[in-house]
Amino acid sequence: MLVEKIGIIGSGLMGSGIAQVALQAGYKVILNDVKEEFISKGISAIRKNLNRDVEKGRRSAEEIERICSRLATTTALSDLSVADLIIEAVFEQMELKKELFATLCKYCSPDTCLVSNTSGLSITEIASATKRPDKVIGLHFFNPVPVMKLVEVIRGYDTSDETFNLIWDFSVKLGKDPIAVQDSPLFAVNRMLVPMINEAIIVLSEGIASAEDIDKGLRLGAGHPIGPLALADLIGLDTLLMVQETLYNETADSKYRPALLLKKLVRAGHYGRKTGRGFYNYN
């Protein structure tokens, strides 16, 4: 199957980032969201990132315009019927994703691959909402998408080899370095990363070390580019708690129980960078 046109649902941080790398790789992209204002913000983010390349001499202004000329937008899911594959980057809610995938099946060709950018929800369950589970797969990008090389290519229970190979090759053409993962709670990377962040929060809550020293310890002692608490603030503590609870509920294993301090901060509305306060104060 030849992939030329990509449909992307969701124009937020992840969706606009995926759209950008697809455009840079030469694909035509149809960017979808529920409101034009959301799409406009996504386009602004794409252009802002691309203009940095102009400022740093990596691309010409003419090249940026050629890249952006491959982008179309729509608020109608039916307009994605012409796409060869569709990637969703909507909120991390299982029922929302299942409803979306079921709706896409009404508009798209039976051969169209449906891809989820979920960071940990079951690909197998998402696929169950469709009549083409063999064509459903996960492609977990990491933030920021234009910078991070890694993607996880996740097989659902019924994902076919043909679909897996197609999406693997597609991710390589995007300039990414993929790893193969079986469907499992939080997949591979987050399955290791999230409990580490949670343990850092517990260390902080027990007064063993300050937030600054916990982060410094992991940066200087383990070679991490960013400390776990600063990373939590970057991810968003509300998102982190949702992911942590998914892992805990899926496995029923007490070792994955979310730290009480994380719950307290989320209940207080302190989500990290996006609210100006989390483990650190950004105001």
Side-chain angles (χ1 to χ4, degrees):
M1 177 181 175
L2 180 62
V3 176
E4 296 180 334
K5 188 170 291 186
I6 314 299
I8 297 174
I9 303 173
S11 58
L13 185 64
M14 298 303 291
S16 62
I18 296 167
Q20 180 183 328
V21 296
L23 290 166
Q24 290 173 178
Y27 292 102
K28 295 178 181 178
V29 173
I30 307 172
L31 184 60
N32 167 273
D33 214 319
V34 293
K35 292 183 179 181
E36 289 287 356
E37 63 187 274
F38 297 158
I39 295 174
S40 295
K41 289 180 181 177
I43 293 173
S44 295
I46 292 170
R47 283 196 169 271
K48 182 178 179 180
N49 287 338
L50 291 175
N51 286 336
R52 285 200 194 102
D53 285 349
V54 176
E55 293 167 4
K56 294 181 179 181
R58 292 193 292 250
R59 298 181 192 272
S60 66
E62 292 76 15
E63 186 179 0
I64 298 303
E65 291 309 312
R66 284 197 299 272
I67 289 171
C68 291
S69 71
R70 294 193 284 269
L71 177 64
T73 63
T74 182
T75 56
L77 286 175
S78 57
D79 289 341
L80 301 180
S81 61
V82 297
D84 300 309
L85 70 86
I86 297 174
I87 304 171
E88 67 81 9
V90 302
F91 293 117
E92 289 283 75
Q93 299 172 1
M94 177 58 77
E95 292 308 313
L96 174 64
K97 291 181 186 289
K98 288 170 70 174
E99 181 180 350
L100 175 60
F101 274 58
T103 301
L104 289 173
C105 288
K106 299 176 183 178
Y107 299 124
C108 301
S109 159
D111 294 327
T112 304
C113 285
L114 303 180
V115 182
S116 176
N117 178 54
T118 177
S119 60
L121 296 179
S122 171
I123 301 301
T124 300
E125 184 173 349
I126 293 171
S128 73
T130 76
K131 296 180 180 179
R132 61 177 89 184
D134 60 309
K135 296 288 186 182
V136 178
I137 193 168
L139 190 58
H140 178 211
F141 292 85
F142 288 77
N143 183 38
V145 178
V147 175
M148 300 296 281
K149 295 287 288 183
L150 179 68
V151 290
E152 291 179 303
V153 184
I154 306 115
R155 283 182 180 270
Y157 186 81
D158 292 310
T159 302
S160 68
D161 289 343
E162 179 184 12
T163 298
F164 179 86
N165 292 334
L166 176 73
I167 299 305
W168 182 276
D169 291 343
F170 169 69
S171 67
V172 171
K173 289 175 183 175
L174 293 183
K176 301 303 181 183
D177 198 348
I179 61 174
V181 181
Q182 296 294 329
D183 191 18
S184 178
L186 302 198
F187 313 135
V189 174
N190 280 345
R191 180 69 169 267
M192 297 179 284
L193 179 64
V194 169
M196 183 201 71
I197 296 174
N198 193 60
E199 192 63 29
I201 298 170
I202 293 171
V203 169
L204 176 66
S205 68
E206 292 180 355
I208 296 171
S210 67
E212 291 80 4
D213 282 350
I214 289 168
D215 281 351
K216 181 178 180 181
L218 267 292
R219 289 198 316 271
L220 301 185
H224 292 198
I226 183 173
L229 300 178
L231 179 58
D233 279 351
L234 181 62
I235 293 168
L237 303 191
D238 55 334
T239 300
L240 179 64
L241 179 59
M242 182 276 297
V243 172
Q244 182 78 31
E245 288 180 332
T246 297
L247 180 57
Y248 178 52
N249 293 333
E250 284 284 318
T251 62
D253 191 331
S254 62
K255 71 181 180 182
Y256 296 129
R257 185 174 61 247
L260 293 178
L261 177 57
L262 176 60
K263 290 184 176 182
K264 187 178 293 186
L265 286 168
V266 171
R267 287 168 181 164
H270 303 319
Y271 299 160
R273 286 180 180 267
K274 60 187 174 184
T275 60
R277 183 178 170 189
F279 293 108
Y280 296 95
N281 194 325
Y282 300 92
N283 291 319

